Amino acid sequence: MQLVSIDGRIRALDGPIDAPGTGAIDLAALTGLPSGACRFLGAHGVEAARDKIGRATDIMPIAGVQFDPPIPKPQMIWAVGLNYREHAAEVGRDVPTAPTLFSKSPGTLIGHEVPIVIPPHVAQPDYEGEVAVVIGRLARDVSERDALDYVAGVTCAHDVSSRDHQFTTGQFTWSKSFDTFCPLGPVLVTIDEVDVSDLPIETRLNGEVVQSSNTRELVFSIPTLVSWISQGTTLLPGDLILTGTPSGVGAGRTPPRWLLDGDVVEITVGGVGTLRNRVVRSAG
């Protein structure tokens, strides 16, 4: 199932996102469950919708519709640094022996085709394409074996980063938490439709491939990350885990390649789709 959020209501697509005539089914109207993505997932909404989806009548055309992030208001965004070996090497760091965690503000989230706005004080904005995991039900102290039972699905994410602030202060969270610095989407694909251990990921900058890898190359797998983070920490439905970026980031190039006004960044995850956002340099 492909889930989207439009005007604060969670919906399921009845066809490919880019196909003419595809519509979005209002899952709250269909099931009688809450319309917000986090509460819908927490009420086991995906399971409830599957039994009724064929009888849906409240379907809106999506042509020309603006998508919100699939999870517009999560309580928490966890992110993982240096989780691809080649990325650790390109930035001169050792491969970690335990997950390197930081957080991003939920206020960073924007949807598909919404501009990334670079503040005037950011001189070195960088791209990081990632696979994002969405938690589907309350999880605490879960095992790696059972971890995927707590995952609703996956989507595409862009961990936009201000390298000048990150490298000067050493503070990952602040330098990656400016408004619009976490595009997400366009759809959330439920866990039953993807193999999270074998997801190709590609980032394109103005059409040029700058990152290309696969979740097979993760240092810490998605089940490992879910289990690790849940140890003593309660994950709630809708919480996000950004699983790390492959090599090829702007900071790892010679010379460095920073995002410029008018750049278009596309992040494609196999079996999920393509997240596309234009870069806008704020005038200040």
Side-chain angles (χ1 to χ4, degrees):
M1 193 181 301
Q2 297 183 82
L3 306 181
V4 297
S5 287
I6 302 172
D7 295 331
R9 299 186 70 84
I10 191 165
R11 302 170 189 264
L13 298 185
D14 64 1
I17 192 170
D18 54 355
T22 291
I25 299 165
D26 189 327
L27 296 181
L30 181 68
T31 61
L33 296 173
S35 59
C38 295
R39 293 181 63 202
F40 181 83
L41 293 176
H44 305 286
V46 172
E47 294 85 347
R50 281 203 179 94
D51 295 334
K52 301 180 179 181
I53 203 88
R55 303 194 297 272
T57 57
D58 189 348
I59 305 175
M60 66 175 293
I62 64 168
V65 171
Q66 178 63 63
F67 290 95
D68 299 327
I71 307 296
K73 296 180 180 180
Q75 173 180 279
M76 189 66 180
I77 303 174
W78 290 100
V80 186
L82 308 173
N83 203 27
Y84 287 83
R85 289 174 176 82
E86 291 184 356
H87 173 53
E90 74 176 343
V91 295
R93 300 285 296 275
D94 294 333
V95 174
T97 57
T100 301
L101 302 177
F102 59 95
S103 62
K104 289 176 76 82
S105 164
T108 60
L109 288 172
I110 56 173
H112 178 60
E113 299 282 13
V114 175
I116 301 165
V117 180
I118 309 298
H121 60 82
V122 173
Q124 297 176 345
D126 204 351
Y127 54 85
E128 291 193 12
E130 308 205 10
V131 175
V133 172
V134 180
I135 298 300
R137 60 191 180 99
L138 189 145
R140 188 175 189 272
D141 297 326
V142 304
S143 68
E144 289 188 33
R145 183 187 64 251
D146 297 331
L148 293 184
D149 293 340
Y150 296 83
V151 172
V154 296
T155 187
C156 308
H158 186 176
D159 178 19
V160 185
S161 304
S162 170
R163 299 301 189 193
D164 42 334
H165 294 299
Q166 178 184 351
F167 296 152
T168 299
T169 67
Q171 297 175 11
F172 281 40
T173 295
W174 179 67
S175 61
K176 293 168 173 274
S177 284
F178 299 130
D179 293 350
T180 76
F181 270 31
C182 193
L184 193 76
V187 301
L188 165 62
V189 176
T190 52
I191 191 69
D192 59 304
E193 295 195 4
V194 291
D195 177 359
V196 298
S197 68
D198 188 14
L199 291 176
I201 179 170
E202 181 178 277
T203 304
R204 296 179 298 281
L205 181 57
N206 302 324
E208 176 189 349
V209 176
V210 290
Q211 293 182 289
S212 182
S213 192
N214 190 293
T215 54
R216 293 192 305 263
E217 304 302 320
L218 288 171
V219 178
F220 302 102
S221 70
I222 287 172
T224 297
L225 293 174
V226 173
S227 176
W228 179 274
I229 297 170
S230 77
Q231 302 309 306
T233 298
T234 300
L235 297 173
L236 299 180
D239 281 356
L240 301 172
I241 302 173
L242 276 57
T243 58
T245 199
S247 62
V249 298
R253 295 174 178 270
T254 305
R257 185 170 183 175
W258 310 125
L259 293 173
L260 302 175
D261 187 58
D263 281 348
V264 175
V265 184
E266 296 172 297
I267 297 163
T268 299
V269 174
V272 178
T274 297
L275 171 66
R276 182 184 306 107
N277 301 88
R278 182 176 295 276
V279 177
V280 175
R281 170 64 75 171
S282 172

